[in-house]
Amino acid sequence: MGHTMKWGTLLPKRPCLWLSQLLVLAGLFHFCSGITPKSVTKRVKETVVLSCDYNTTTEELASLRIYWQKDSKMVLAILLGKVQVWSEYENRTITDINNNPRIVILALRLSDSGTYTCVIQKPDLKGTYKVEHLTSVKLMIRADFPVPTINDLGNPSPNIRRVICSTSGGFPRPYLSWLENGEELNATNTTLSQDPETKLYTISSELDFNMTSDHNFLCLVKYGDLTVSQTFYWQECK
């Protein structure tokens, strides 16, 4: 039989006691083992596939309990073939149930960063479920700023030109500077805002300059260890 992909559907009741025990158990396992989870880096709004790294059969799958958690919070559980997705991941998380169970998280957010652990329980001969397999992966989410745009705002006064440089949709907190010949210039108005839901930043800055001479300006945006920039040329009309 081929694999099936389906959207998570809620179970009638949440197995809170089982899940709390699993969360503690998974945490103790990684603390004691010293295992460093493999890492995956994705960008905001991209899709990630996280695998349990557990080879199984179609027959065995029907008896397994599969849990996914992120750090200390539940993500998804599969019990008796039914899928429960926790609210933060509803409508954007898919289970891919085949010989290597995995989940697919769509439309990634900054808040999705963290260590994901797959816990698989299997019944013994007495029907008692015990942990059969644990694996973890560290997911890191990037939010890169696009190349800034520079737009002309006209003349606030005779012989003075005003331009604005802006970019949005990045993280962490950015710093914008105007440079000419390697020297930083004084901006007239710099604004910074952060979306309360996505936590992504928008930044813009205005620069006034004398129109009677040639200029080569660099708008430079730094965020973390990364930078993006845009160049603006002005040539005096003769």
Side-chain angles (χ1 to χ4, degrees):
M1 296 175 62
H3 69 266
T4 59
M5 297 189 73
K6 57 185 179 180
W7 292 104
T9 55
L10 290 177
L11 295 174
K13 294 183 180 180
R14 293 188 174 186
C16 297
L17 179 59
W18 280 102
L19 297 179
S20 63
Q21 293 173 340
L22 284 168
L23 292 173
V24 173
L25 180 59
L28 287 175
F29 173 84
H30 291 290
F31 176 77
C32 296
S33 65
I35 294 175
T36 301
K38 62 182 180 181
S39 62
V40 175
T41 300
K42 291 288 184 177
R43 289 180 171 83
V44 168
K45 299 182 181 180
E46 287 186 341
T47 297
V48 69
V49 178
L50 302 177
S51 172
C52 284
D53 290 332
Y54 179 79
N55 293 322
T56 185
T57 63
T58 303
E59 292 74 19
E60 185 186 41
L61 274 172
S63 65
L64 296 179
R65 291 173 174 172
I66 304 173
Y67 304 89
W68 276 97
Q69 69 181 72
K70 190 200 82 172
D71 300 326
S72 60
K73 297 181 179 180
M74 284 302 305
V75 175
L76 179 146
I78 304 173
L79 304 176
L80 301 177
K82 294 185 179 294
V83 181
Q84 177 183 359
V85 181
W86 267 247
S87 59
E88 187 178 345
Y89 294 87
E90 280 185 311
N91 301 320
R92 63 187 188 97
T93 303
I94 303 170
T95 57
D96 186 358
I97 306 174
N98 53 24
N99 60 352
N100 184 3
R102 59 185 184 172
I103 60 173
V104 182
I105 305 176
L106 311 173
L108 288 169
R109 309 166 181 171
L110 281 175
S111 58
D112 291 331
S113 294
T115 299
Y116 290 76
T117 301
C118 174
V119 182
I120 294 181
Q121 285 189 321
K122 184 178 179 180
D124 59 18
L125 295 177
K126 296 181 180 180
T128 302
Y129 276 86
K130 297 182 178 180
V131 174
E132 174 75 9
H133 178 76
L134 285 168
T135 191
S136 291
V137 58
K138 184 177 182 180
L139 177 62
M140 295 177 287
I141 307 298
R142 288 179 52 179
D144 292 330
F145 283 94
V147 173
T149 59
I150 299 179
N151 295 307
D152 188 355
L153 297 181
N155 301 77
S157 60
N159 294 327
I160 298 298
R161 200 77 170 187
R162 178 171 294 171
V163 292
I164 183 171
C165 177
S166 61
T167 186
S168 63
F171 188 91
R173 184 186 180 96
Y175 173 77
L176 189 154
S177 58
W178 289 94
L179 302 173
E180 185 173 29
N181 299 323
E183 295 185 4
E184 186 169 352
L185 306 174
N186 293 322
T188 58
N189 183 27
T190 300
T191 61
L192 176 68
S193 62
Q194 185 180 27
D195 187 293
E197 182 176 350
T198 66
K199 306 302 181 184
L200 300 179
Y201 285 96
T202 295
I203 192 168
S204 65
S205 181
E206 297 175 5
L207 178 70
D208 290 352
F209 62 92
N210 194 317
M211 299 168 52
T212 61
S213 58
D214 296 342
H215 294 281
N216 183 357
F217 299 122
L218 178 69
C219 173
L220 179 65
V221 178
K222 296 181 180 180
Y223 59 107
D225 297 329
L226 303 174
T227 63
V228 287
S229 62
Q230 182 64 272
T231 302
F232 179 79
Y233 299 99
W234 175 266
Q235 188 172 19
E236 179 192 7
C237 294
K238 299 179 180 178

